[in-house]
Amino acid sequence: RRRVPLQPLASGYQAADRPLAFPTCGEAEIMEESSAEAPDSSTQDDVPPLGETHRHFFYLKLFKFNTDYSSLIASYLSVCSQGRTKSCGLCFSDGKSRIDYILVYRKSSSQSEKREVFERNIRAEGLQMEKEASLTNSDVIFLKLHAPWDVLCRYAELMNIRMPFRRKIFYMHRRHKFMSRMEKRINKFRGWLPRKPMKFDNDTLPDLEENESFTAPFSRSRIHHFIIHNKDTFFNNATRSRIVHHILQRVKYEEGKNKMGLNRLLSNNSYEAAFPLHEGSYHSKNSIRTHGAENHRHLLYECWAWWGVWYKYQPLDLIRRYFGEKIGLYFAWLGWYTGMLFPAALVGLLVFLYGVFTLDHCQVSKEICQATDIIMCPICDQYCPYLRLSDSCIYAKVLSPQRGDKMFSMAVKALSTVFLEFWKRRRAVLAYDWDLIDWEEEEDEIRPQFEAKYSKKERMNPISGKPEPYQAFTDKYSRLIVSASGIFFMILVVIAAVFGIVIYRVITVSTFAAFGWALIRNNSQVATTGTAVCINFCIIMLLNLYEKVALLLTNLEQPRTESEWENSFTFKMFLFQFVNLNSSTFYIAFFLGRFTGRPGAYLRLINRWKLEECHPSGCLIDLCMQMGIIMVLKQTWNNFMELGYPLIQNWWTRRRLRREHGQNAKASFPQWERDYNLQPMNAYGLFDEYLEMILQFGFTTIFVAAFPLAPLLALLNNIIEIRLDAYKFVTQWRRPLPSQAKDIGIWYGILEGIGILSVITNAFVIAVTSDFIPRLVYAYKYGPCAGQGRAGEGCMMGYVNASLSVFRVSDFERRSQYRDYREPPDSAEPYSYTLQFWHVLAARLAFIIVFEHMVFAIKTLIAYLIPDLPKDLRDRMRREKYLIQEMMYEAELERLQKEKNEKKKKDRAHHKEWP
């Protein structure tokens, strides 16, 4: 690698498709690489200055490409060769100091004293500040912060930030000759195929060299070990912002133990906003293919957030560099989850199509459609008429495509286990590439609120050996008990809301049965279910006040670290939302029509209303409607709130600015002004994004036996969701604070819990809610093929009649029937359960036990066969550990040898002096 001045390129060479580093503010300070640098690194040329008051260095990698960078260089020189870079908005007014963080406040705010003390203490920490009024509102003041080199080094050492010190030497394990021959043949076959359209061209993305270097916790005493080409670019923008935020969280604004931290000043309106800057505009007049990217934000938009690249893989390394490891892991997990939905969606679609194409061969639906002489009992007391069984023909045909859902359900459970196990491997690879293998929770920061609350009582940390605030056992668990009581109370509120929906269904079915419109009157039960689902969705949206309750309970617990706070808040919110979203679904799946009694002895609500029964064609139709409507409405609403609301807000802001300052006012605004006009990220970070996907995962797995198209709907939604989130992060939101994370946190444990719950619920759905077990019992025991050991469609003749019981209506001559297994009124024990009922019940219990044990055995076997770490990654980690020890030892020897040689030179010079 060479540093090349911004001059006409030599003949025979043209600039590459992308720069290695984008322009930075101020004069570049070059430091020689230490002797610990790799011996094969190329020499560096001195770079002449560009301009009288401003010097920049633009790193280009020279290859023989056909792309011309002349227009990009010319536009860059026209903007940044000036002494002041206000138009760029990325530096102080001197054009040298890079803006690492922005604080915004209003002059009219009454908290000026706290701000003055806070800013005075910021200066004492070594940060540089500059204030500038807003161009659109004179009351708004922007406080720009810059961290000098000494401050960055000091806090990088305190925060154990890992920095590169040597280029990696990749270890390639030996391959057997057979595998080598196979790879050659596979590669030859791939050469006949078109290039992979889903991958980006490597020349499009920048060279993120920190991914190819060994790293170690930064230390000022060993600064000569690290690769420092340029002080301005050694700490990237994300790291600089994280360091400044760490400082601001520990600066006091008043005297007192708990009077500290930027978060408190934001909560009491001392400051209105706090955010790091985006690296410029996300769009350009010039194409990225011909002129390259102007900055990383522009590159992310073109390669990731633009809708035209929806089918391509995500540039995870670039996402991680710009937004931090936590956001990078979220998009990595979302992409992995979406990829695993492809086989589930394909199999679910095939199962559905198989049922549709074999619709005319279903014996049960045929008998229901032909049962014009079978009269069913009314579904309500006064207004509901007697029904003919053939009236539910259309619903029986709708349910007939579900015949392959049992094996599909088992396949989805196995696939969910494969997804979780392979995500462990993928996460391990990302953690290695992003240098998070050794990052542990002990390195996580203690929350300032915890530190202020328990600073009077300290104890020694057994790991670090340093004193830290300590929360007593009694105080901790008393707070947990109060929090658990609050959670239990809120769950009871959700159950009460579900009970209200049940009352609505019981009352409304009679109203729809007496409706004037014949379409509603003839389908009163389906209309009741549909409207109840829509009302249930509205209640789900209204009960989002749980967020404030969960926040209050989490703060009451006083978690020690930010990770503990996030895990506690996440668990509460997931529990609330999961119960809120799925309680009605569980009621329909397992309780609807189970405790209604029988005709002549119905169980009534408040001794007045008869409890709701299942549809004559079965309870599965209600469950399908509940899942389909809730899933579609929830995903549509979430997508609108995630992207539509910020778009409307930003459009309204742009409209106001154009009306007040002209059509092209925004283009002349500095970067901090443009970012301030964007929408802030959610106060809880990625919580809403994870929660939406985890709830969707629950819908996709828990009741997939009742709704095989759920994975397909989830897949279509996620393909849109990835680009929606990307577009929102890059264009509509202020740049979030980059933060580190080793995994997706508590969400992985929640996913495993959902996987276990899905096995149990699907076993009960197949055994209790559907007619799978009664049909098997009839085919093997009571049907025309009884005792023959087979259960085809021909063996189901007469099943519908066998599943009905007779009830004599005293004031009518003819008899009506209902779904149950009871003795006829003329038997010795009228309306008692028949032997077939007990056979069906025993078969249902046996199926639940066998199904659960079989699926759990498959899940355990898959988890055992798939190791958490790939073998080549384990070898690379061991190789790297060995090389790091060797290199640190060699570097120390070189340093000692160099000091020894310098001492010898000084001694020789001293002996040559005249007396």
Side-chain angles (χ1 to χ4, degrees):
R1 179 175 301 174
R2 302 179 59 220
R3 284 195 177 87
V4 183
L6 294 178
Q7 307 237 346
L9 299 175
S11 60
Y13 288 91
Q14 289 182 333
D17 279 354
R18 76 286 194 270
L20 290 177
F22 294 106
T24 59
C25 300
E27 181 176 356
E29 301 181 36
I30 308 299
M31 291 186 64
E32 294 183 358
E33 294 186 22
S34 68
S35 59
E37 187 176 349
D40 58 346
S41 60
S42 59
T43 58
Q44 302 173 8
D45 298 338
D46 295 332
V47 183
L50 295 174
E52 296 179 358
T53 59
H54 209 67
R55 292 190 294 174
H56 291 272
F57 297 97
F58 201 56
Y59 306 110
L60 299 175
K61 197 171 185 179
L62 298 184
F63 289 109
K64 293 184 179 180
F65 286 102
N66 296 324
T67 306
D68 187 10
Y69 262 77
S70 57
S71 60
L72 175 62
I73 296 173
S75 63
Y76 171 66
L77 284 175
S78 65
V79 174
C80 297
S81 61
Q82 305 172 6
R84 296 169 63 85
T85 58
K86 283 191 175 182
S87 60
C88 295
L90 300 177
C91 305
F92 280 14
S93 58
D94 60 359
K96 297 181 180 180
S97 302
R98 176 188 301 177
I99 299 175
D100 297 319
Y101 214 80
I102 291 289
L103 300 179
V104 186
Y105 67 89
R106 293 184 179 270
K107 291 191 293 185
S108 58
S109 174
S110 60
Q111 307 290 339
S112 58
E113 295 182 2
K114 295 180 180 179
R115 284 199 307 269
E116 290 177 0
V117 175
F118 187 70
E119 291 169 10
R120 188 163 55 246
N121 291 332
I122 288 176
R123 291 191 187 95
E125 291 290 338
L127 297 181
Q128 298 177 6
M129 297 190 305
E130 184 178 77
K131 294 184 180 180
E132 188 159 341
S134 172
L135 299 178
T136 59
N137 189 348
S138 59
D139 188 41
V140 176
I141 303 297
F142 294 98
L143 178 62
K144 299 175 281 187
L145 301 178
H146 168 73
W149 171 256
D150 295 337
V151 176
L152 292 173
C153 292
R154 183 169 74 250
Y155 277 94
E157 185 174 3
L158 291 175
M159 297 169 64
N160 291 322
I161 295 178
R162 303 181 69 89
M163 301 303 295
F165 70 91
R166 181 68 67 87
R167 300 286 273 179
K168 283 184 180 179
I169 303 174
F170 292 102
Y171 171 70
M172 301 299 294
H173 60 279
R174 292 188 303 172
R175 294 181 178 273
H176 297 287
K177 293 182 179 179
F178 174 76
M179 293 301 296
S180 299
R181 290 195 299 268
M182 289 296 297
E183 286 185 358
K184 289 181 180 179
R185 293 178 181 177
I186 292 174
N187 292 333
K188 185 178 180 180
F189 175 74
R190 286 177 178 175
W192 299 338
L193 300 176
R195 297 187 64 184
K196 295 182 179 179
M198 300 176 68
K199 286 190 174 182
F200 283 106
D201 188 358
N202 292 331
D203 297 325
T204 306
L205 301 178
D207 183 13
L208 304 178
E209 64 177 3
E210 64 268 21
N211 293 341
E212 300 177 358
S213 300
F214 295 121
T215 62
F218 184 80
S219 173
R220 287 176 292 175
S221 61
R222 296 183 177 181
I223 195 171
H224 53 278
H225 289 166
F226 296 92
I227 304 175
I228 305 178
H229 297 290
N230 187 341
K231 285 184 179 181
D232 289 337
T233 58
F234 179 63
F235 296 104
N236 60 36
N237 291 344
T239 303
R240 296 173 71 99
S241 300
R242 188 154 57 92
I243 291 175
V244 173
H245 180 79
H246 176 87
I247 297 173
L248 296 178
Q249 288 294 85
R250 280 154 180 77
V251 173
K252 290 186 176 181
Y253 58 87
E254 279 185 11
E255 291 298 329
K257 291 289 186 180
N258 58 348
K259 306 294 184 180
M260 61 185 296
L262 176 62
N263 288 344
R264 289 181 178 270
L265 292 177
L266 290 172
S267 61
N268 62 21
N269 296 324
S270 297
Y271 288 99
E272 191 172 293
F275 53 89
L277 287 179
H278 279 294
E279 296 180 1
S281 177
Y282 65 88
H283 57 78
S284 174
K285 297 180 180 179
N286 302 318
S287 172
I288 191 174
R289 297 182 180 274
T290 57
H291 294 78
E294 294 187 353
N295 51 66
H296 282 135
R297 188 187 185 195
H298 180 214
L299 185 60
L300 278 173
Y301 176 76
E302 294 287 343
C303 295
W304 180 46
W306 182 50
W307 292 101
V309 294
W310 65 270
Y311 59 92
K312 289 186 176 292
Y313 293 129
Q314 303 180 87
L316 295 178
D317 289 333
L318 189 61
I319 298 171
R320 171 247 180 174
R321 179 188 177 91
Y322 195 82
F323 291 111
E325 287 81 0
K326 182 174 287 188
I327 294 177
L329 276 173
Y330 163 70
F331 282 103
W333 175 84
L334 180 56
W336 191 256
Y337 168 49
T338 304
M340 295 300 291
L341 280 175
F342 271 98
L346 179 61
V347 176
L349 181 62
L350 293 177
V351 168
F352 180 80
L353 293 178
Y354 168 77
V356 170
F357 289 131
T358 59
L359 189 64
D360 297 333
H361 302 284
C362 182
Q363 180 64 29
V364 177
S365 60
K366 281 182 182 179
E367 291 185 2
I368 292 177
C369 295
Q370 296 171 2
T372 56
D373 56 340
I374 297 179
I375 299 175
M376 305 296 294
C377 289
I379 59 177
C380 61
D381 290 328
Q382 298 179 356
Y383 302 104
C384 298
Y386 289 93
L387 303 174
R388 296 186 184 274
L389 184 59
S390 58
D391 294 340
S392 59
C393 174
I394 183 65
Y395 305 109
K397 288 186 176 181
V398 169
L399 290 178
S400 63
Q402 313 287 336
R403 287 179 291 163
D405 54 2
K406 289 77 188 175
M407 296 303 298
F408 174 62
S409 174
M410 295 183 63
V412 170
K413 300 302 162 297
L415 187 63
S416 65
T417 305
V418 171
F419 159 65
L420 293 178
E421 293 301 320
F422 272 96
W423 165 247
K424 288 182 183 179
R425 296 164 61 87
R426 176 62 174 160
R427 197 267 323 161
V429 173
L430 289 175
Y432 173 78
D433 291 339
W434 294 351
D435 204 22
L436 298 171
I437 293 293
D438 297 328
W439 188 85
E440 298 292 343
E441 186 180 353
E442 287 76 19
E443 298 178 16
D444 199 1
E445 306 169 6
I446 298 178
R447 297 178 66 241
Q449 294 83 353
F450 182 89
E451 199 170 0
K453 178 74 174 177
Y454 300 102
S455 59
K456 295 181 180 179
K457 189 174 183 180
E458 295 182 344
R459 75 170 183 178
M460 196 69 66
N461 188 318
I463 298 175
S464 63
K466 299 178 181 178
E468 64 178 15
Y470 170 67
Q471 184 181 14
F473 178 85
T474 55
D475 179 77
K476 179 178 180 179
Y477 283 94
S478 60
R479 291 175 179 272
L480 287 176
I481 291 173
V482 174
S483 177
S485 302
I487 295 172
F488 181 72
F489 174 76
M490 295 308 298
I491 291 178
L492 291 180
V493 173
V494 175
I495 296 175
V498 174
F499 186 71
I501 296 294
V502 173
I503 295 176
Y504 168 82
R505 296 171 68 104
V506 169
I507 297 175
T508 312
V509 66
S510 300
T511 304
F512 282 133
F515 207 74
W517 192 7
L519 180 63
I520 300 296
R521 186 173 61 252
N522 296 334
N523 300 277
S524 58
Q525 194 167 11
V526 176
T528 300
T529 302
T531 55
V533 172
C534 295
I535 294 175
N536 183 32
F537 175 75
C538 296
I539 293 176
I540 289 171
M541 295 293 104
L542 291 175
L543 288 180
N544 281 335
L545 56 91
Y546 291 153
E547 182 177 317
K548 297 181 179 179
V549 178
L551 181 63
L552 177 65
L553 295 177
T554 306
N555 289 332
L556 178 66
E557 293 177 8
Q558 287 291 352
R560 176 179 171 271
T561 64
E562 291 295 337
S563 296
E564 292 179 1
W565 189 95
E566 289 182 6
N567 291 342
S568 178
F569 178 77
T570 298
F571 178 74
K572 293 180 181 61
M573 278 299 297
F574 168 76
L575 192 61
F576 292 157
Q577 293 284 5
F578 183 81
V579 174
N580 188 24
L581 189 64
N582 293 283
S583 53
S584 295
T585 310
F586 273 88
Y587 163 74
I588 292 174
F590 305 126
F591 298 99
L592 178 62
R594 308 296 170 194
F595 309 102
T596 58
R598 62 171 178 82
Y602 283 121
L603 297 177
R604 298 183 179 273
L605 187 65
I606 321 178
N607 293 325
R608 182 176 179 182
W609 293 292
K610 186 185 74 171
L611 294 179
E612 187 182 10
E613 296 182 80
C614 292
H615 196 272
S617 59
C619 295
L620 212 57
I621 185 66
D622 298 308
L623 184 59
C624 288
M625 290 184 62
Q626 174 81 11
M627 288 194 61
I629 294 176
I630 290 293
M631 195 168 183
V632 171
L633 289 179
K634 188 78 169 68
Q635 293 183 158
T636 304
W637 176 260
N638 287 338
N639 290 335
F640 170 76
M641 292 303 295
E642 284 186 9
L643 185 63
Y645 181 75
L647 277 174
I648 294 173
Q649 291 288 329
N650 291 333
W651 170 82
W652 182 258
T653 302
R654 291 194 301 269
R655 182 176 179 272
R656 177 178 57 82
L657 293 177
R658 285 196 301 267
R659 187 174 60 250
E660 296 176 356
H661 302 279
Q663 291 293 330
N664 299 323
K666 186 180 177 182
S668 61
F669 288 164
Q671 189 63 43
W672 57 80
E673 189 95 38
R674 284 180 283 180
D675 285 4
Y676 176 67
N677 290 326
L678 298 177
Q679 296 300 306
M681 186 181 175
N682 189 294
Y684 311 117
L686 294 168
F687 170 78
D688 287 340
E689 280 70 26
Y690 272 118
L691 180 63
E692 178 187 356
M693 291 295 103
I694 298 298
L695 292 176
Q696 183 204 85
F697 179 80
F699 260 86
T700 307
T701 56
I702 292 179
F703 293 105
V704 71
F707 194 50
L709 293 180
L712 179 62
L713 294 179
L715 174 63
L716 297 176
N717 174 81
N718 287 7
I719 292 175
I720 301 173
E721 180 75 21
I722 292 177
R723 304 304 159 180
L724 278 180
D725 287 346
Y727 185 81
K728 176 178 60 179
F729 272 93
V730 174
T731 67
Q732 302 301 311
W733 277 2
R734 298 170 189 164
R735 186 176 182 179
L737 178 72
S739 55
Q740 285 188 311
K742 191 176 181 179
D743 201 348
I744 60 175
I746 194 176
W747 294 111
Y748 185 83
I750 292 175
L751 286 171
E752 288 187 324
I754 290 177
I756 295 173
L757 179 63
S758 66
V759 175
I760 301 172
T761 54
N762 277 280
F764 276 89
V765 166
I766 296 173
V768 177
T769 310
S770 71
D771 287 342
F772 176 69
I773 298 301
R775 294 184 186 187
L776 284 183
V777 172
Y778 177 79
Y780 285 103
K781 183 67 177 176
Y782 299 96
C785 302
Q788 299 180 16
R790 58 190 183 91
E793 289 294 336
C795 301
M796 298 304 297
M797 296 180 62
Y799 166 75
V800 172
N801 214 14
S803 65
L804 299 176
S805 298
V806 178
F807 176 73
R808 177 180 290 119
V809 183
S810 59
D811 49 352
F812 286 96
E813 293 182 357
R814 54 186 178 181
R815 299 177 299 180
S816 61
Q817 299 181 341
Y818 57 98
R819 287 178 58 90
D820 209 342
Y821 297 100
R822 292 181 183 271
E823 296 289 348
D826 300 331
S827 63
E829 297 181 1
Y831 305 120
S832 62
Y833 287 117
T834 63
L835 182 62
Q836 187 176 356
F837 168 81
W838 298 108
H839 284 163
V840 170
L841 180 61
R844 281 174 169 168
L845 295 177
F847 175 82
I848 291 173
I849 296 174
V850 173
F851 183 87
E852 288 182 356
H853 283 70
M854 184 183 300
V855 176
F856 278 128
I858 295 174
K859 288 169 65 69
T860 305
L861 180 63
I862 292 174
Y864 175 77
L865 294 177
I866 302 176
D868 294 345
L869 282 178
K871 185 178 184 303
D872 58 341
L873 177 61
R874 188 182 298 111
D875 294 339
R876 289 174 64 185
M877 291 170 59
R878 292 175 179 174
R879 173 72 172 172
E880 179 175 333
K881 185 177 181 181
Y882 169 77
L883 290 177
I884 287 176
Q885 293 176 351
E886 291 293 322
M887 286 187 291
M888 294 296 288
Y889 177 72
E890 292 175 1
E892 200 65 26
L893 287 180
E894 290 178 3
R895 185 182 66 83
L896 294 175
Q897 187 66 32
K898 186 177 180 180
E899 291 178 356
K900 185 177 180 181
N901 294 336
E902 290 178 355
K903 185 177 180 181
K904 287 182 179 180
K905 290 180 180 179
K906 289 181 180 180
D907 292 341
R908 292 174 184 173
H910 176 72
H911 290 309
K912 291 180 180 180
E913 291 182 357
W914 290 94

